[in-house]
Amino acid sequence: MTDTFVRTGAENGVLNITIDRQEKLNALNFDVLSQLHSTLETEARQQEIRCLVITGAGTRAFVAGADIAEIRDLDDEGLRKIIDLGNGVMSRIENLGKPVIAAINGYALGGGCELALACHIRIASNTAQFGLPEVRLGLMPGYGGTQRLSRLIGHGKSLEMMLTGKPISAEQAKDYGLVNKVVEPEDLLSVSGKLAATLAGSAPIAMKGILAAVLDGADTSLADGLELENKLFSGLFKTADMREGTAAFLEKRKPRFKGS
């Protein structure tokens, strides 16, 4: 029987996902990735879920990396299988169409850093550490780290992190633009939860449009990105949420968005 390494709980439109493999510092093995994949394909896609928060159990680690003991002895087929699964999880988070917040407590190294990078907003405890140390194992990032980190903080800083394998502190990560906010450890979940609650109250179709414009537009020319934005913007005028949002503004009341 497979152990449960991913715990979930939903409240007021927010799905909280906790990776709980504390004896291995929440390292990503095949079972963890499979359970994350299942959660993203089922619970996360439910219409009533407007925002996600991903964190790691305990105070020592968000996710300390991939499970080296597991991947070291894999044959080519097994290695390809876990690489595809890991990249599938990261892509599903990034392209979910709903905002995903990483609440980062402790180590976010290797696959854990890549998991945080796949999320849209990153809030870190001041005890967090970020790094892509794969080069020290004779490896390189394999779950999107070479692509997402450089797009987020630029080639120079990302190459220094990857080529040296040295971790950086939460404050350095904030200075680099890797994280949005650094908070005290005891405030991490409350601050992340408040932001998630705010996002859960926003217009879901509009948020999906913003995510698509930013993420899809990043890989295009400015002209194509602007055309994409215009198309998504125009489409929102057909939604009931747009009518509700504008009516609420004019009536000076809080909008009640339904995602339609």
Side-chain angles (χ1 to χ4, degrees):
M1 181 176 179
T2 302
D3 292 330
T4 299
F5 296 123
V6 175
R7 295 188 283 105
T8 63
E11 184 177 5
N12 298 324
V14 177
L15 178 64
N16 293 292
I17 300 174
T18 302
I19 300 169
D20 191 352
R21 196 176 176 231
Q22 294 184 61
E23 74 282 2
K24 297 293 185 179
L25 296 178
N26 303 326
L28 300 176
N29 65 359
F30 190 85
D31 289 337
V32 173
L33 289 169
S34 295
Q35 290 170 28
L36 277 172
H37 182 277
S38 177
T39 298
L40 293 167
E41 287 297 290
T42 55
E43 295 178 67
R45 293 190 181 278
Q46 293 176 10
Q47 185 175 3
E48 62 269 23
I49 298 300
R50 305 283 182 86
C51 180
L52 282 70
V53 177
I54 300 178
T55 194
T59 59
R60 296 179 63 195
F62 172 67
V63 168
D67 190 327
I68 302 303
E70 180 181 73
I71 67 172
R72 179 186 58 188
D73 298 323
L74 292 175
D75 58 17
D76 288 347
E77 182 180 355
L79 184 60
R80 174 49 57 190
K81 189 175 181 180
I82 197 167
I83 289 173
D84 289 346
L85 177 59
N87 278 296
V89 166
M90 307 307 168
S91 294
R92 277 167 173 76
I93 290 171
E94 188 172 53
N95 299 309
L96 188 62
K98 302 176 182 183
V100 183
I101 300 168
I104 303 154
N105 43 321
Y107 297 117
L109 304 176
C113 186
E114 291 171 303
L115 176 62
L117 289 169
C119 298
H120 306 116
I121 297 173
R122 288 160 290 278
I123 300 175
S125 158
N126 59 22
T127 61
Q129 292 187 43
F130 298 81
L132 292 170
E134 288 88 347
V135 70
R136 297 185 176 188
L137 302 175
L139 294 169
M140 62 179 283
Y143 291 157
T146 63
Q147 303 305 303
R148 292 189 178 94
L149 184 63
S150 59
R151 283 166 167 75
L152 187 63
I153 69 173
H155 288 168
K157 291 184 175 66
S158 61
L159 281 171
E160 181 180 0
M161 287 179 65
M162 287 184 280
L163 292 175
T164 66
K166 293 181 179 179
I168 62 173
S169 68
E171 287 296 340
Q172 284 178 289
K174 182 182 177 185
D175 290 342
Y176 284 5
L178 202 164
V179 302
N180 299 74
K181 184 177 294 187
V182 176
V183 300
E184 295 293 330
E186 61 269 22
D187 296 329
L188 178 63
L189 294 182
S190 64
V191 171
S192 301
K194 287 178 182 177
L195 176 57
T198 297
L199 297 178
S202 296
I205 302 177
M207 289 196 296
K208 183 177 182 179
I210 291 168
L211 289 167
V214 171
L215 296 173
D216 296 343
D219 295 327
T220 68
S221 67
L222 176 59
D224 287 343
L226 291 172
E227 183 177 351
L228 173 63
E229 179 190 272
N230 183 268
K231 178 181 178 181
L232 292 165
F233 177 80
S234 299
L236 292 173
F237 278 82
K238 303 174 184 178
T239 66
D241 277 356
M242 178 270 181
R243 293 190 292 275
E244 166 62 14
T246 53
F249 176 81
L250 294 172
E251 296 166 13
K252 294 182 172 57
R253 61 174 174 82
K254 186 176 179 179
R256 296 181 292 273
F257 296 117
K258 297 181 179 180
S260 60

